[in-house]
Amino acid sequence: MIRDALITDLDEIESIERASFEEPWSRASVEAEFYKDYSHFFVYEENGILAGYIIIWDLGPEWEVVTVAVAERFRRKGIGRKLLDYALILSGAGAEWRLEVACDNEAAIRLYESYGFVEAGVIKNYYGQGRNAFRMLREAVSLRGNEA
Ligand SMILES: CC(C)(COP(=O)(O)OP(=O)(O)OC[C@H]1O[C@@H](n2cnc3c(N)ncnc32)[C@H](O)[C@@H]1OP(=O)(O)O)[C@@H](O)C(=O)NCCC(=O)NCCS
């Protein structure tokens, strides 16, 4: 199940964060997300175990996937997809989305592409020297249906 993240989840979130990223966010950076009014922070819990989380920002005209991570032993079970589904439903179909992802992060790029995100440029050294990121964008879903 997906629910709002709580301060009491910080230990588990920190341990997934450290295991998932070469340059993990500090605990203070993660904690700061609880206090930003534009930030939404959700966790996925399976049988009481915190298996993953997502942070998204509602930046007015557009939304941003700030981070999403799933504990290694829970990956490839559809949890990343459930977290993104939840975020996209929250924003509504009319929202535009953006994100940055490391150019070598094939799993995440495949996941985002499957939701219609497309590459819109490279940001050099975004994650440190020699570690580039793709900017990816997702347009608002047309509510008018297919035009013949
Ligand atoms: C990216 C991540 C969140 C995906 O979570 P997940 O729960 O394993 O993803 P899902 O099981 O929902 O997979 C959804 C889709 O993502 C893609 N995907 C996920 N893992 C993949 C992999 N190892 N290789 C290629 N594609 C992958 C596939 O398109 C997959 O759909 P499919 O299973 O139908 O083929 C997870 O790999 C992770 O936590 N990685 C480390 C943190 C990270 O890099 N986060 C992204 C920051 S921008």
Side-chain angles (χ1 to χ4, degrees):
M1 76 162 195
I2 295 176
R3 60 165 173 78
D4 286 337
L6 304 169
I7 289 285
T8 48
D9 296 323
L10 267 175
D11 285 348
E12 285 150 295
I13 291 167
E14 194 181 9
S15 103
I16 296 173
E17 175 76 16
R18 284 174 185 275
S20 296
F21 297 103
E22 271 177 51
E23 301 205 11
W25 282 20
S26 67
R27 189 184 178 94
S29 299
V30 175
E31 189 173 354
E33 295 301 316
F34 286 97
Y35 306 107
K36 296 176 181 168
D37 56 2
Y38 53 86
S39 184
H40 299 266
F41 197 162
F42 304 109
V43 299
Y44 184 92
E45 213 176 57
E46 193 163 283
N47 300 324
I49 299 170
L50 200 155
Y53 56 90
I54 189 167
I55 297 173
I56 56 174
W57 287 349
D58 175 359
L59 299 171
E62 62 181 5
W63 291 64
E64 177 164 346
V65 179
V66 180
T67 193
V68 53
V70 173
E72 213 161 337
R73 69 183 192 282
F74 288 101
R75 288 185 192 160
R76 289 319 283 268
K77 295 174 188 288
I79 294 174
R81 214 176 264 298
K82 284 184 182 138
L83 287 164
L84 264 178
D85 283 341
Y86 198 81
L88 293 170
I89 288 168
L90 181 71
S91 72
E96 297 192 345
W97 281 83
R98 54 174 283 163
L99 59 83
E100 283 84 34
V101 58
C103 294
D104 60 1
N105 191 345
E106 202 182 318
I109 292 168
R110 294 286 94 80
L111 173 65
Y112 298 138
E113 281 176 345
S114 75
Y115 281 90
F117 281 88
V118 294
E119 288 167 21
V122 173
I123 311 167
K124 295 231 163 159
N125 305 320
Y126 185 78
Y127 294 108
Q129 190 57 37
R131 302 203 55 234
N132 301 339
F134 287 123
R135 167 152 298 143
M136 299 187 82
L137 302 177
R138 181 181 190 266
E139 287 184 7
V141 175
S142 169
L143 300 175
R144 295 162 61 197
N146 289 336
E147 289 166 46

